[in-house]
Amino acid sequence: MVRTFAALSDPTRLSVVEELMQRGELPAGDLVAHAGMTGPAVSRHLKVLREAGVVTQRAEGTKRFYKVAPEAMKAISDWTISHHSFWAAGLDRLDAILAADDEVGDE
């Protein structure tokens, strides 16, 4: 999971994954146009995503097509769900602290 989250921590890579999730499998050229950077720069981002298991690559002639790896998205979803109670409890504590701070400020 660490490699997955590390790969997605970059805004460009996250944007590429979101584009693939919305539009499905795309050729690398479409991802270059979406990212607004050079082909080699996008290629480096795609390599990180592939190595992290977030996207898969398929070759057709000289073109490379990319799509999101469903198992990676499921792992992220499962991890998020399993940590939901931790985040909910933390946010509840934060709400309580902020409410107490407002009461002290009103006095």
Coordinates of all heavy atoms in Angstrom, one line a residue:
M1 N 0.8 -1.2 0.0 CA 0.0 0.0 0.0 C 0.9 1.3 0.0 O 0.4 2.3 -0.5 CB -0.9 0.0 1.2 CG -2.1 -0.9 1.1 SD -3.2 -0.6 -0.2 CE -3.7 1.0 -0.1
V2 N 2.0 1.2 0.6 CA 2.9 2.4 0.7 C 3.2 2.9 -0.7 O 3.2 4.1 -1.0 CB 4.1 2.1 1.5 CG1 5.1 3.3 1.4 CG2 3.7 1.9 3.0
R3 N 3.6 1.9 -1.6 CA 4.0 2.3 -3.0 C 2.8 2.9 -3.7 O 2.9 3.8 -4.5 CB 4.5 1.1 -3.7 CG 5.9 0.7 -3.2 CD 6.4 -0.5 -4.0 NE 6.9 0.0 -5.3 CZ 7.3 -0.8 -6.3 NH1 7.3 -2.1 -6.1 NH2 7.7 -0.3 -7.4
T4 N 1.6 2.4 -3.4 CA 0.4 2.9 -4.1 C 0.1 4.3 -3.7 O 0.0 5.2 -4.6 CB -0.8 2.0 -3.7 OG1 -0.6 0.7 -4.2 CG2 -2.1 2.5 -4.4
F5 N 0.1 4.6 -2.4 CA -0.1 5.9 -1.9 C 1.0 6.9 -2.3 O 0.8 8.0 -2.7 CB -0.3 6.0 -0.4 CG -1.7 5.5 0.0 CD1 -1.8 4.3 0.8 CD2 -2.9 6.1 -0.5 CE1 -3.1 3.9 1.1 CE2 -4.1 5.6 -0.1 CZ -4.2 4.5 0.7
A6 N 2.2 6.4 -2.3 CA 3.4 7.2 -2.7 C 3.2 7.6 -4.2 O 3.4 8.8 -4.6 CB 4.7 6.5 -2.5
A7 N 2.8 6.7 -5.0 CA 2.6 6.9 -6.5 C 1.5 8.0 -6.7 O 1.6 8.8 -7.5 CB 2.3 5.7 -7.2
L8 N 0.4 7.8 -5.9 CA -0.7 8.7 -6.1 C -0.5 10.1 -5.4 O -1.3 11.0 -5.5 CB -2.0 8.1 -5.5 CG -2.4 6.8 -6.3 CD1 -3.6 6.1 -5.6 CD2 -2.8 7.2 -7.8
S9 N 0.5 10.2 -4.6 CA 0.8 11.5 -3.9 C 1.2 12.6 -4.8 O 1.0 13.8 -4.4 CB 1.8 11.3 -2.8 OG 3.1 11.1 -3.4
D10 N 1.6 12.3 -6.0 CA 2.0 13.3 -7.0 C 0.8 13.8 -7.7 O 0.0 13.0 -8.2 CB 3.0 12.7 -8.0 CG 3.4 13.8 -9.0 OD1 4.4 14.5 -8.7 OD2 2.8 13.8 -10.0
P11 N 0.5 15.1 -7.8 CA -0.7 15.6 -8.4 C -0.8 15.2 -9.9 O -2.0 14.9 -10.3 CB -0.6 17.2 -8.3 CG 0.4 17.4 -7.2 CD 1.3 16.2 -7.2
T12 N 0.2 15.2 -10.6 CA 0.2 14.7 -12.0 C -0.3 13.3 -12.1 O -1.2 12.9 -12.9 CB 1.5 14.9 -12.7 OG1 1.8 16.3 -12.7 CG2 1.5 14.5 -14.2
R13 N 0.3 12.4 -11.3 CA 0.0 11.0 -11.4 C -1.5 10.8 -10.9 O -2.2 10.0 -11.5 CB 0.9 10.2 -10.5 CG 2.3 10.1 -11.2 CD 3.2 9.1 -10.5 NE 3.6 9.4 -9.2 CZ 4.8 10.1 -8.9 NH1 5.6 10.5 -9.9 NH2 5.1 10.3 -7.7
L14 N -1.9 11.5 -9.9 CA -3.3 11.4 -9.4 C -4.2 11.8 -10.5 O -5.2 11.2 -10.8 CB -3.5 12.2 -8.2 CG -4.9 12.1 -7.6 CD1 -5.3 10.7 -7.2 CD2 -5.0 13.0 -6.3
S15 N -3.9 12.9 -11.2 CA -4.7 13.4 -12.3 C -4.8 12.4 -13.5 O -5.9 12.2 -14.1 CB -4.1 14.7 -12.8 OG -4.9 15.2 -13.9
V16 N -3.7 11.8 -13.8 CA -3.7 10.7 -14.8 C -4.6 9.6 -14.4 O -5.4 9.1 -15.2 CB -2.2 10.2 -15.1 CG1 -2.2 9.0 -15.9 CG2 -1.4 11.3 -15.8
V17 N -4.5 9.1 -13.2 CA -5.4 8.0 -12.7 C -6.8 8.4 -12.8 O -7.7 7.7 -13.2 CB -4.9 7.6 -11.3 CG1 -5.9 6.6 -10.7 CG2 -3.6 6.9 -11.4
E18 N -7.1 9.7 -12.3 CA -8.5 10.1 -12.4 C -9.0 10.2 -13.8 O -10.2 9.8 -14.1 CB -8.7 11.5 -11.7 CG -8.5 11.4 -10.2 CD -8.5 12.8 -9.6 OE1 -8.2 13.8 -10.2 OE2 -8.9 12.9 -8.4
E19 N -8.2 10.6 -14.8 CA -8.6 10.6 -16.2 C -8.9 9.2 -16.7 O -9.8 9.0 -17.4 CB -7.4 11.3 -17.0 CG -7.8 11.4 -18.5 CD -8.7 12.6 -18.8 OE1 -9.2 13.2 -17.9 OE2 -9.0 12.7 -20.0
L20 N -8.0 8.3 -16.3 CA -8.2 6.9 -16.7 C -9.5 6.3 -16.1 O -10.2 5.5 -16.7 CB -7.0 6.0 -16.4 CG -5.7 6.3 -17.2 CD1 -4.5 5.6 -16.6 CD2 -5.9 5.9 -18.6
M21 N -9.8 6.7 -14.9 CA -11.0 6.2 -14.2 C -12.2 6.7 -14.9 O -13.2 6.0 -15.0 CB -11.0 6.5 -12.7 CG -9.9 5.7 -11.9 SD -9.8 6.2 -10.2 CE -11.4 5.6 -9.6
Q22 N -12.2 8.0 -15.3 CA -13.3 8.6 -16.0 C -13.5 8.1 -17.4 O -14.7 7.9 -17.8 CB -13.2 10.1 -16.0 CG -13.3 10.7 -14.6 CD -13.1 12.2 -14.6 OE1 -12.9 12.8 -15.7 NE2 -13.1 12.8 -13.5
R23 N -12.4 8.0 -18.1 CA -12.5 7.7 -19.6 C -12.2 6.3 -20.0 O -12.4 5.9 -21.1 CB -11.6 8.7 -20.3 CG -12.1 10.1 -20.2 CD -11.3 11.1 -20.9 NE -11.1 10.8 -22.3 CZ -10.1 11.2 -23.1 NH1 -9.2 12.0 -22.6 NH2 -10.1 10.9 -24.4
G24 N -11.7 5.5 -19.0 CA -11.3 4.1 -19.4 C -9.9 4.1 -20.0 O -9.1 5.0 -19.9
E25 N -9.6 3.0 -20.7 CA -8.3 2.8 -21.3 C -8.0 3.8 -22.3 O -8.9 4.2 -23.1 CB -8.2 1.4 -21.9 CG -6.9 1.0 -22.5 CD -6.8 -0.3 -23.1 OE1 -7.6 -0.5 -24.1 OE2 -6.1 -1.2 -22.7
L26 N -6.8 4.4 -22.2 CA -6.4 5.5 -23.1 C -5.0 5.2 -23.7 O -4.1 4.7 -22.9 CB -6.4 6.8 -22.4 CG -7.8 7.4 -22.0 CD1 -7.6 8.6 -21.2 CD2 -8.6 7.7 -23.2
P27 N -4.7 5.7 -24.9 CA -3.3 5.7 -25.4 C -2.5 6.7 -24.7 O -3.0 7.7 -24.2 CB -3.5 6.0 -26.9 CG -4.8 6.7 -27.0 CD -5.6 6.2 -25.9
A28 N -1.2 6.4 -24.6 CA -0.3 7.4 -23.9 C -0.4 8.8 -24.5 O -0.3 9.7 -23.7 CB 1.1 6.9 -24.1
G29 N -0.6 8.9 -25.8 CA -0.7 10.3 -26.4 C -1.8 11.1 -25.8 O -1.7 12.3 -25.6
D30 N -3.0 10.4 -25.5 CA -4.1 11.2 -24.9 C -3.7 11.6 -23.5 O -4.1 12.7 -23.0 CB -5.3 10.3 -24.8 CG -6.0 10.1 -26.1 OD1 -5.4 10.5 -27.2 OD2 -7.1 9.6 -26.1
L31 N -2.9 10.8 -22.8 CA -2.5 11.2 -21.4 C -1.5 12.3 -21.4 O -1.5 13.2 -20.6 CB -1.9 10.0 -20.7 CG -3.0 8.9 -20.5 CD1 -2.3 7.6 -19.9 CD2 -4.1 9.3 -19.5
V32 N -0.7 12.4 -22.5 CA 0.3 13.5 -22.7 C -0.5 14.8 -22.9 O -0.2 15.8 -22.2 CB 1.2 13.2 -23.8 CG1 2.0 14.5 -24.2 CG2 2.2 12.1 -23.5
A33 N -1.5 14.7 -23.7 CA -2.3 15.9 -24.0 C -3.1 16.3 -22.7 O -3.2 17.5 -22.4 CB -3.4 15.6 -25.1
H34 N -3.6 15.4 -21.9 CA -4.3 15.7 -20.7 C -3.3 16.3 -19.7 O -3.7 17.3 -19.0 CB -4.9 14.4 -20.1 CG -5.4 14.6 -18.7 ND1 -6.6 15.3 -18.4 CD2 -4.9 14.2 -17.5 CE1 -6.7 15.3 -17.1 NE2 -5.7 14.7 -16.5
A35 N -2.1 15.8 -19.5 CA -1.2 16.3 -18.5 C -0.6 17.6 -18.9 O -0.1 18.3 -18.0 CB -0.1 15.2 -18.2
G36 N -0.5 17.9 -20.2 CA 0.1 19.2 -20.6 C 1.6 19.2 -20.3 O 2.1 20.3 -20.0
M37 N 2.2 18.1 -20.5 CA 3.7 18.1 -20.4 C 4.2 17.2 -21.5 O 3.5 16.6 -22.2 CB 4.1 17.6 -19.0 CG 3.5 16.3 -18.5 SD 4.0 15.8 -16.8 CE 3.7 17.2 -15.8
T38 N 5.5 17.1 -21.5 CA 6.2 16.3 -22.6 C 5.9 14.8 -22.5 O 5.6 14.3 -21.4 CB 7.7 16.5 -22.6 OG1 8.2 15.9 -21.4 CG2 8.1 18.0 -22.7
G39 N 6.0 14.1 -23.6 CA 5.8 12.7 -23.6 C 6.8 12.0 -22.6 O 6.3 11.1 -21.8
P40 N 8.1 12.3 -22.6 CA 9.0 11.6 -21.7 C 8.6 11.9 -20.2 O 8.8 11.0 -19.4 CB 10.4 12.2 -22.0 CG 10.2 12.6 -23.5 CD 8.8 13.1 -23.6
A41 N 8.1 13.1 -19.9 CA 7.7 13.4 -18.5 C 6.6 12.5 -18.1 O 6.5 11.9 -17.0 CB 7.4 14.8 -18.4
V42 N 5.6 12.4 -19.0 CA 4.4 11.6 -18.7 C 4.8 10.1 -18.6 O 4.3 9.4 -17.8 CB 3.3 11.8 -19.8 CG1 2.1 10.8 -19.6 CG2 2.7 13.2 -19.6
S43 N 5.7 9.7 -19.5 CA 6.2 8.3 -19.5 C 6.8 8.0 -18.1 O 6.6 6.9 -17.6 CB 7.2 8.1 -20.6 OG 7.7 6.8 -20.6
R44 N 7.6 8.9 -17.6 CA 8.2 8.6 -16.2 C 7.1 8.5 -15.2 O 7.2 7.6 -14.3 CB 9.1 9.8 -15.9 CG 10.4 9.7 -16.7 CD 11.5 10.7 -16.1 NE 11.1 12.1 -16.3 CZ 11.4 12.8 -17.4 NH1 12.0 12.2 -18.5 NH2 11.0 14.0 -17.5
H45 N 6.0 9.3 -15.2 CA 4.9 9.2 -14.3 C 4.2 7.9 -14.5 O 3.8 7.2 -13.5 CB 3.9 10.4 -14.5 CG 4.4 11.7 -13.9 ND1 4.6 11.9 -12.6 CD2 4.7 12.8 -14.5 CE1 5.1 13.1 -12.4 NE2 5.1 13.7 -13.5
L46 N 4.0 7.5 -15.7 CA 3.3 6.2 -16.0 C 4.1 5.0 -15.5 O 3.6 4.0 -15.0 CB 3.0 6.1 -17.5 CG 1.9 7.0 -18.0 CD1 1.9 7.0 -19.5 CD2 0.5 6.5 -17.4
K47 N 5.4 5.1 -15.6 CA 6.3 4.1 -15.1 C 6.1 3.9 -13.6 O 6.1 2.8 -13.1 CB 7.8 4.4 -15.4 CG 8.7 3.3 -14.9 CD 10.2 3.6 -15.3 CE 11.1 2.5 -14.8 NZ 12.5 2.8 -14.9
V48 N 6.1 5.0 -12.8 CA 5.9 5.0 -11.4 C 4.6 4.3 -11.1 O 4.5 3.4 -10.2 CB 6.0 6.4 -10.8 CG1 5.6 6.4 -9.3 CG2 7.4 6.9 -10.9
L49 N 3.5 4.7 -11.8 CA 2.2 4.1 -11.6 C 2.2 2.6 -11.9 O 1.5 1.8 -11.2 CB 1.1 4.9 -12.4 CG 0.9 6.3 -12.0 CD1 0.0 7.1 -13.0 CD2 0.2 6.3 -10.6
R50 N 2.8 2.2 -13.0 CA 2.9 0.8 -13.3 C 3.7 0.0 -12.3 O 3.2 -1.1 -11.8 CB 3.6 0.6 -14.7 CG 2.8 0.8 -15.9 CD 3.5 0.2 -17.2 NE 4.9 0.3 -17.2 CZ 5.6 1.4 -17.7 NH1 5.0 2.4 -18.1 NH2 6.9 1.3 -17.7
E51 N 4.8 0.5 -11.8 CA 5.6 -0.2 -10.8 C 4.9 -0.3 -9.5 O 5.1 -1.2 -8.8 CB 6.9 0.5 -10.7 CG 7.9 0.3 -11.9 CD 9.2 1.0 -11.8 OE1 9.3 1.9 -10.8 OE2 10.0 0.8 -12.6
A52 N 4.0 0.7 -9.2 CA 3.2 0.6 -8.0 C 1.9 -0.3 -8.2 O 1.2 -0.5 -7.2 CB 2.8 2.0 -7.6
G53 N 1.7 -0.7 -9.4 CA 0.5 -1.6 -9.6 C -0.8 -0.8 -9.8 O -1.8 -1.4 -9.7
V54 N -0.7 0.5 -10.0 CA -1.9 1.3 -10.1 C -2.5 1.3 -11.5 O -3.7 1.3 -11.6 CB -1.6 2.8 -9.6 CG1 -2.8 3.6 -9.8 CG2 -1.1 2.8 -8.2
V55 N -1.6 1.2 -12.5 CA -2.1 1.1 -13.9 C -1.4 -0.1 -14.5 O -0.4 -0.5 -14.1 CB -1.8 2.4 -14.7 CG1 -2.5 3.6 -14.1 CG2 -0.4 2.7 -14.9
T56 N -2.1 -0.5 -15.6 CA -1.5 -1.6 -16.4 C -1.3 -1.0 -17.8 O -1.9 0.0 -18.2 CB -2.4 -2.8 -16.5 OG1 -3.6 -2.5 -17.1 CG2 -2.6 -3.4 -15.1
Q57 N -0.4 -1.6 -18.6 CA 0.0 -1.2 -19.9 C -0.3 -2.3 -20.9 O 0.0 -3.5 -20.6 CB 1.4 -0.8 -20.0 CG 1.9 -0.4 -21.3 CD 3.4 -0.2 -21.3 OE1 3.9 0.7 -20.7 NE2 4.2 -1.1 -21.9
R58 N -0.8 -2.0 -22.0 CA -1.0 -2.9 -23.1 C -0.4 -2.3 -24.4 O -0.7 -1.2 -24.7 CB -2.5 -3.2 -23.3 CG -2.9 -4.0 -24.4 CD -4.4 -4.2 -24.4 NE -5.2 -3.0 -24.8 CZ -5.4 -2.6 -26.0 NH1 -4.9 -3.2 -27.1 NH2 -6.1 -1.5 -26.3
A59 N 0.3 -3.1 -25.1 CA 0.9 -2.7 -26.4 C 0.0 -3.1 -27.5 O -0.4 -4.3 -27.6 CB 2.3 -3.2 -26.5
E60 N -0.2 -2.2 -28.5 CA -0.8 -2.6 -29.7 C -0.1 -1.9 -30.9 O -0.2 -0.7 -31.0 CB -2.3 -2.1 -29.7 CG -3.1 -2.5 -30.8 CD -4.6 -2.1 -30.7 OE1 -5.3 -2.6 -29.7 OE2 -5.0 -1.3 -31.5
G61 N 0.7 -2.7 -31.5 CA 1.6 -2.1 -32.5 C 2.6 -1.2 -31.8 O 3.3 -1.6 -30.9
T62 N 2.7 0.1 -32.2 CA 3.7 1.0 -31.6 C 3.0 1.8 -30.5 O 3.7 2.6 -29.8 CB 4.3 2.0 -32.7 OG1 3.2 2.7 -33.3 CG2 5.1 1.2 -33.7
K63 N 1.7 1.6 -30.3 CA 1.0 2.4 -29.3 C 1.0 1.7 -28.0 O 1.0 0.4 -27.9 CB -0.4 2.7 -29.7 CG -0.5 3.7 -30.8 CD -2.0 4.1 -31.0 CE -2.1 5.3 -32.0 NZ -3.4 5.8 -32.0
R64 N 1.0 2.4 -26.9 CA 0.8 1.9 -25.5 C -0.5 2.4 -25.0 O -0.7 3.6 -25.0 CB 2.0 2.3 -24.6 CG 3.4 1.9 -25.1 CD 3.5 0.4 -25.0 NE 4.8 -0.1 -25.5 CZ 5.0 -0.6 -26.6 NH1 4.0 -0.8 -27.5 NH2 6.2 -1.1 -27.0
F65 N -1.3 1.5 -24.4 CA -2.5 1.8 -23.8 C -2.5 1.6 -22.3 O -1.9 0.6 -21.9 CB -3.7 1.0 -24.5 CG -3.9 1.4 -25.9 CD1 -3.2 0.8 -26.9 CD2 -4.9 2.3 -26.2 CE1 -3.4 1.1 -28.2 CE2 -5.2 2.6 -27.5 CZ -4.4 2.0 -28.5
Y66 N -3.1 2.5 -21.6 CA -3.0 2.4 -20.1 C -4.5 2.3 -19.6 O -5.4 3.0 -20.1 CB -2.3 3.6 -19.5 CG -0.8 3.6 -19.9 CD1 -0.4 4.2 -21.1 CD2 0.1 2.9 -19.1 CE1 0.9 4.1 -21.5 CE2 1.4 2.9 -19.5 CZ 1.8 3.5 -20.7 OH 3.2 3.4 -21.0
K67 N -4.6 1.6 -18.5 CA -5.9 1.6 -17.8 C -5.6 1.4 -16.3 O -4.5 0.9 -15.9 CB -6.8 0.5 -18.3 CG -6.4 -0.9 -18.1 CD -7.4 -1.9 -18.6 CE -7.0 -3.3 -18.4 NZ -8.0 -4.2 -18.9
V68 N -6.5 1.8 -15.5 CA -6.4 1.6 -14.0 C -6.5 0.1 -13.7 O -7.4 -0.6 -14.2 CB -7.5 2.4 -13.3 CG1 -7.5 2.1 -11.8 CG2 -7.2 3.9 -13.5
A69 N -5.7 -0.3 -12.8 CA -5.7 -1.7 -12.3 C -6.8 -1.8 -11.2 O -6.7 -1.2 -10.2 CB -4.4 -2.1 -11.7
P70 N -7.9 -2.5 -11.5 CA -9.1 -2.6 -10.6 C -8.7 -3.1 -9.2 O -9.2 -2.6 -8.2 CB -10.1 -3.5 -11.2 CG -9.6 -3.7 -12.6 CD -8.2 -3.3 -12.7
E71 N -7.7 -4.0 -9.1 CA -7.3 -4.6 -7.8 C -6.6 -3.5 -7.0 O -6.7 -3.5 -5.8 CB -6.4 -5.8 -8.0 CG -5.2 -5.7 -8.9 CD -5.5 -5.8 -10.4 OE1 -6.6 -6.1 -10.8 OE2 -4.5 -5.5 -11.1
A72 N -5.9 -2.6 -7.6 CA -5.3 -1.5 -6.9 C -6.3 -0.5 -6.3 O -6.2 -0.1 -5.1 CB -4.3 -0.7 -7.8
M73 N -7.4 -0.2 -7.1 CA -8.4 0.6 -6.6 C -9.2 -0.1 -5.4 O -9.6 0.6 -4.5 CB -9.4 1.0 -7.7 CG -8.7 1.9 -8.8 SD -8.1 3.5 -8.1 CE -6.3 3.1 -8.1
K74 N -9.4 -1.4 -5.5 CA -10.1 -2.1 -4.5 C -9.3 -2.1 -3.2 O -9.8 -1.9 -2.1 CB -10.4 -3.5 -4.9 CG -11.1 -4.3 -3.9 CD -11.6 -5.7 -4.3 CE -12.3 -6.5 -3.3 NZ -12.4 -6.0 -1.9
A75 N -8.0 -2.3 -3.3 CA -7.1 -2.2 -2.2 C -7.2 -0.9 -1.5 O -7.2 -0.8 -0.2 CB -5.6 -2.6 -2.6
I76 N -7.2 0.2 -2.2 CA -7.3 1.5 -1.7 C -8.7 1.7 -1.0 O -8.7 2.2 0.2 CB -7.2 2.6 -2.7 CG1 -5.7 2.7 -3.3 CG2 -7.6 4.0 -2.2 CD1 -5.5 3.5 -4.5
S77 N -9.7 1.2 -1.6 CA -11.0 1.3 -1.0 C -11.1 0.5 0.3 O -11.6 0.9 1.3 CB -12.1 0.8 -2.0 OG -13.3 0.7 -1.4
D78 N -10.6 -0.7 0.2 CA -10.6 -1.6 1.4 C -9.8 -0.9 2.6 O -10.2 -1.0 3.7 CB -10.0 -3.0 1.1 CG -10.9 -3.8 0.2 OD1 -12.0 -3.4 0.0 OD2 -10.4 -4.8 -0.3
W79 N -8.6 -0.4 2.3 CA -7.8 0.3 3.3 C -8.6 1.5 3.9 O -8.6 1.7 5.1 CB -6.5 0.8 2.7 CG -5.6 1.3 3.7 CD1 -4.6 0.7 4.4 CD2 -5.5 2.7 4.1 NE1 -4.0 1.6 5.3 CE2 -4.5 2.8 5.1 CE3 -6.2 3.9 3.8 CZ2 -4.1 4.0 5.7 CZ3 -5.9 5.0 4.4 CH2 -4.9 5.1 5.3
T80 N -9.2 2.3 3.0 CA -10.0 3.4 3.5 C -11.1 3.0 4.4 O -11.3 3.6 5.5 CB -10.5 4.2 2.3 OG1 -9.4 4.6 1.4 CG2 -11.2 5.5 2.7
I81 N -11.8 2.0 4.0 CA -13.0 1.5 4.8 C -12.5 1.0 6.1 O -13.1 1.3 7.2 CB -13.8 0.5 4.0 CG1 -14.5 1.2 2.9 CG2 -14.7 -0.3 4.9 CD1 -15.1 0.2 1.9
S82 N -11.4 0.2 6.1 CA -10.9 -0.3 7.4 C -10.4 0.7 8.3 O -10.3 0.5 9.5 CB -9.8 -1.3 7.1 OG -8.6 -0.7 6.7
H83 N -10.0 1.9 7.8 CA -9.5 3.0 8.7 C -10.6 4.1 9.0 O -10.3 5.1 9.6 CB -8.3 3.6 8.1 CG -7.1 2.7 8.1 ND1 -6.9 1.7 7.3 CD2 -6.0 2.7 9.0 CE1 -5.8 1.1 7.6 NE2 -5.2 1.7 8.6
H84 N -11.8 3.8 8.5 CA -12.9 4.8 8.7 C -13.1 5.1 10.2 O -13.3 6.3 10.5 CB -14.2 4.3 8.1 CG -15.4 5.1 8.3 ND1 -15.4 6.4 8.0 CD2 -16.6 4.8 8.9 CE1 -16.6 7.0 8.4 NE2 -17.3 6.0 8.9
S85 N -13.2 4.2 11.0 CA -13.5 4.5 12.4 C -12.4 5.3 13.1 O -12.7 6.2 13.9 CB -13.7 3.2 13.3 OG -12.5 2.4 13.2
F86 N -11.1 5.1 12.7 CA -10.1 6.0 13.2 C -10.3 7.4 12.8 O -10.2 8.3 13.6 CB -8.7 5.5 12.6 CG -7.6 6.4 12.8 CD1 -6.9 6.5 14.0 CD2 -7.2 7.3 11.8 CE1 -5.9 7.4 14.2 CE2 -6.1 8.2 11.9 CZ -5.5 8.3 13.2
W87 N -10.6 7.7 11.5 CA -10.8 9.0 11.0 C -12.0 9.6 11.6 O -12.0 10.8 12.0 CB -10.9 9.1 9.5 CG -9.5 8.8 8.9 CD1 -9.1 7.7 8.2 CD2 -8.4 9.6 8.9 NE1 -7.8 7.8 7.9 CE2 -7.3 9.0 8.3 CE3 -8.1 10.9 9.5 CZ2 -6.0 9.5 8.1 CZ3 -6.8 11.4 9.3 CH2 -5.8 10.7 8.7
A88 N -13.1 8.9 11.7 CA -14.3 9.4 12.3 C -14.1 9.8 13.7 O -14.6 10.9 14.2 CB -15.5 8.3 12.2
A89 N -13.4 9.0 14.5 CA -13.2 9.3 15.9 C -12.3 10.6 16.0 O -12.5 11.4 16.8 CB -12.5 8.1 16.6
G90 N -11.3 10.7 15.2 CA -10.4 11.8 15.2 C -11.2 13.1 14.8 O -10.9 14.1 15.4
L91 N -12.0 13.0 13.9 CA -12.8 14.2 13.5 C -13.8 14.6 14.5 O -14.0 15.8 14.8 CB -13.5 14.0 12.1 CG -12.6 13.8 10.9 CD1 -13.3 13.4 9.7 CD2 -11.8 15.2 10.7
D92 N -14.4 13.6 15.2 CA -15.3 13.9 16.4 C -14.5 14.6 17.5 O -15.0 15.6 18.1 CB -15.9 12.6 16.9 CG -16.9 12.0 15.9 OD1 -17.4 12.7 15.0 OD2 -17.3 10.8 16.1
R93 N -13.3 14.2 17.8 CA -12.5 14.8 18.8 C -12.2 16.2 18.4 O -12.2 17.2 19.2 CB -11.2 14.0 19.0 CG -11.4 12.8 19.8 CD -10.1 12.2 20.3 NE -9.1 11.9 19.2 CZ -9.1 10.8 18.5 NH1 -9.9 9.8 18.7 NH2 -8.2 10.6 17.6
L94 N -11.8 16.4 17.1 CA -11.5 17.8 16.6 C -12.8 18.7 16.7 O -12.6 19.8 17.2 CB -11.1 17.7 15.1 CG -10.8 19.1 14.5 CD1 -9.7 19.8 15.2 CD2 -10.4 18.9 13.0
D95 N -13.9 18.2 16.4 CA -15.2 19.0 16.5 C -15.4 19.4 18.0 O -15.7 20.5 18.3 CB -16.4 18.1 16.1 CG -16.5 18.1 14.6 OD1 -15.9 19.0 13.9 OD2 -17.3 17.2 14.1
A96 N -15.1 18.4 18.9 CA -15.3 18.7 20.3 C -14.3 19.8 20.8 O -14.7 20.7 21.5 CB -15.1 17.5 21.2
I97 N -13.1 19.7 20.3 CA -12.1 20.7 20.7 C -12.5 22.1 20.2 O -12.4 23.1 20.9 CB -10.7 20.3 20.2 CG1 -10.2 19.1 21.0 CG2 -9.7 21.5 20.3 CD1 -9.0 18.4 20.4
L98 N -12.9 22.1 18.9 CA -13.3 23.4 18.3 C -14.5 24.0 19.0 O -14.6 25.2 19.2 CB -13.5 23.2 16.8 CG -12.3 22.9 16.0 CD1 -12.7 22.6 14.5 CD2 -11.3 24.0 16.0
A99 N -15.4 23.1 19.4 CA -16.6 23.6 20.0 C -16.3 24.2 21.4 O -16.8 25.2 21.8 CB -17.7 22.5 20.2
A100 N -15.4 23.5 22.1 CA -14.9 24.0 23.4 C -14.2 25.3 23.3 O -14.3 26.2 24.1 CB -14.0 22.9 24.1
D101 N -13.4 25.4 22.2 CA -12.6 26.7 22.0 C -13.6 27.8 21.7 O -13.4 28.9 22.1 CB -11.7 26.5 20.8 CG -10.7 27.6 20.7 OD1 -10.1 28.1 21.7 OD2 -10.5 28.1 19.5
D102 N -14.6 27.6 20.9 CA -15.7 28.6 20.7 C -16.3 29.1 21.9 O -16.6 30.3 22.1 CB -16.7 28.1 19.7 CG -16.2 28.1 18.2 OD1 -15.2 28.7 18.0 OD2 -16.9 27.4 17.4
E103 N -16.6 28.1 22.8 CA -17.3 28.5 24.1 C -16.3 29.3 25.0 O -16.8 30.3 25.6 CB -17.6 27.2 24.9 CG -18.8 26.5 24.2 CD -19.1 25.1 24.9 OE1 -18.5 24.9 26.0 OE2 -19.9 24.4 24.4
V104 N -15.1 29.0 25.0 CA -14.1 29.8 25.8 C -14.0 31.2 25.1 O -13.9 32.3 25.8 CB -12.7 29.1 25.8 CG1 -11.7 30.1 26.4 CG2 -12.8 27.9 26.6
G105 N -14.0 31.3 23.8 CA -13.9 32.6 23.1 C -15.1 33.5 23.3 O -15.0 34.7 23.2
D106 N -16.2 32.9 23.5 CA -17.5 33.6 23.7 C -17.6 34.2 25.1 O -18.4 35.1 25.3 CB -18.7 32.7 23.4 CG -18.8 32.3 22.0 OD1 -18.2 33.0 21.1 OD2 -19.5 31.3 21.7
E107 N -16.8 33.8 26.0 CA -16.9 34.3 27.4 C -16.3 35.6 27.6 O -15.5 36.2 27.0 CB -16.2 33.3 28.4 CG -17.0 32.0 28.4 CD -16.4 30.9 29.3 OE1 -15.3 31.2 29.9 OE2 -16.9 29.8 29.4

